[in-house]
Amino acid sequence: MQTFTDSVSGRRFAEVADTASFTGSRSRGWGRVYLDLTEPVRWSVQVPHPVADENTEDLGARVLRGEPGGVLVLAGAHRTAGTGNAADVAHRTDSVFHSVIDELMGRKLPGVQLHGFANESFPEFDVVVSTGAGDRAVADAKLLARQLKAGDLEVCPAWARKCKLSGTSNEQGQVAAEERLRFLHIELNRGIRTNSESLDEVAESISVLTRRWAEKAR
């Protein structure tokens, strides 16, 4: 583990990674965890497919810099690495990524998980907002959808209609549903993810939600 001061937010963070990541030897693909040290941990942002879902790791960092008290859980390998779905941590329970989030959910922390899709996969919409397999976070999903729509984004509300890419088979979402915890699954098209201004706007929209979570936990 090491700590650092973020040049954008000015806040102190801890970076947790396997030892190989800090010694320069070959990484084991376990990922990294970033914790805000300025306040008690109150919510998480999760990035299961960095690089594969282009710039979701960038968005995760922007969300973490928003409301204090967050944890960023970042997977450590491309989702197509290894054999079969070995590195697709959103659909496996035997990863460090899942174990960390399972621990956070054991502490009753709400979480938002970031994904990306190709524009042509669902051309009618810019964003899909879903509560995954559960329904505990419908009010949160509605709040986030309103914020995104205020930024002129077309949002598919998976709690109210049938949407592609709604993440109902997501393993972290399955645990959240079983435990009756607040979990949101967000899919963003590539046009949003490759535009820095759009990423800032989405991050601010999510921060409205994480701010609400933090205030409720205080």
Side-chain angles (χ1 to χ4, degrees):
M1 185 182 78
Q2 62 183 9
T3 63
F4 63 93
T5 299
D6 177 49
S7 61
V8 175
S9 66
R11 301 204 306 271
R12 293 289 292 173
F13 290 87
E15 178 187 40
V16 182
D18 67 76
T19 304
S21 299
F22 295 132
T23 61
S25 55
R26 186 172 181 178
S27 173
R28 287 169 285 194
W30 287 355
R32 301 193 181 202
V33 180
Y34 295 88
L35 300 95
D36 187 342
L37 298 177
T38 61
E39 289 196 14
V41 172
R42 297 187 173 99
W43 54 271
S44 75
V45 55
Q46 308 158 16
V47 181
H49 302 141
V51 182
D53 287 356
E54 186 177 2
N55 289 340
T56 51
E57 65 277 10
D58 188 354
L59 178 58
R62 296 182 196 215
V63 172
L64 183 65
R65 285 167 169 159
E67 178 64 23
V71 181
L72 167 61
V73 187
L74 182 67
H78 194 285
R79 70 180 298 173
T80 62
T83 303
N85 74 335
D88 185 1
V89 295
H91 297 101
R92 297 185 68 99
T93 59
D94 57 350
S95 69
V96 172
F97 179 88
H98 182 84
S99 296
V100 170
I101 294 172
D102 192 47
E103 175 65 26
L104 295 175
M105 289 191 290
R107 297 169 186 254
K108 308 302 182 185
L109 266 64
V112 55
Q113 192 170 114
L114 307 176
H115 294 261
F117 65 93
N119 294 4
E120 58 271 19
S121 296
F122 204 9
E124 306 97 310
F125 293 97
D126 301 308
V127 187
V128 179
V129 177
S130 172
T131 59
D135 59 6
R136 177 70 174 79
V138 171
D140 299 311
K142 290 179 178 179
L143 171 63
L144 179 57
R146 287 196 300 270
Q147 293 298 131
L148 294 168
K149 288 177 180 178
D152 294 326
L153 297 181
E154 292 294 330
V155 179
C156 189
W159 66 92
R161 57 161 290 171
K162 186 174 182 179
C163 300
K164 296 180 182 178
L165 309 167
S166 58
T168 55
S169 64
N170 179 282
E171 290 291 352
Q172 294 76 50
Q174 293 278 354
V175 174
E178 292 168 5
E179 300 297 326
R180 297 290 296 160
L181 300 173
R182 288 168 290 172
F183 173 87
L184 291 184
H185 182 281
I186 302 176
E187 291 270 1
L188 300 124
N189 72 17
R190 188 174 184 275
I192 300 298
R193 291 180 286 111
T194 55
N195 182 291
S196 185
E197 290 185 4
S198 296
L199 285 178
D200 279 339
E201 292 172 1
V202 171
E204 178 54 37
S205 294
I206 296 173
S207 290
V208 171
L209 176 61
T210 57
R211 195 170 302 125
R212 175 180 176 178
W213 286 344
E215 289 171 352
K216 285 186 174 182
R218 288 190 178 102

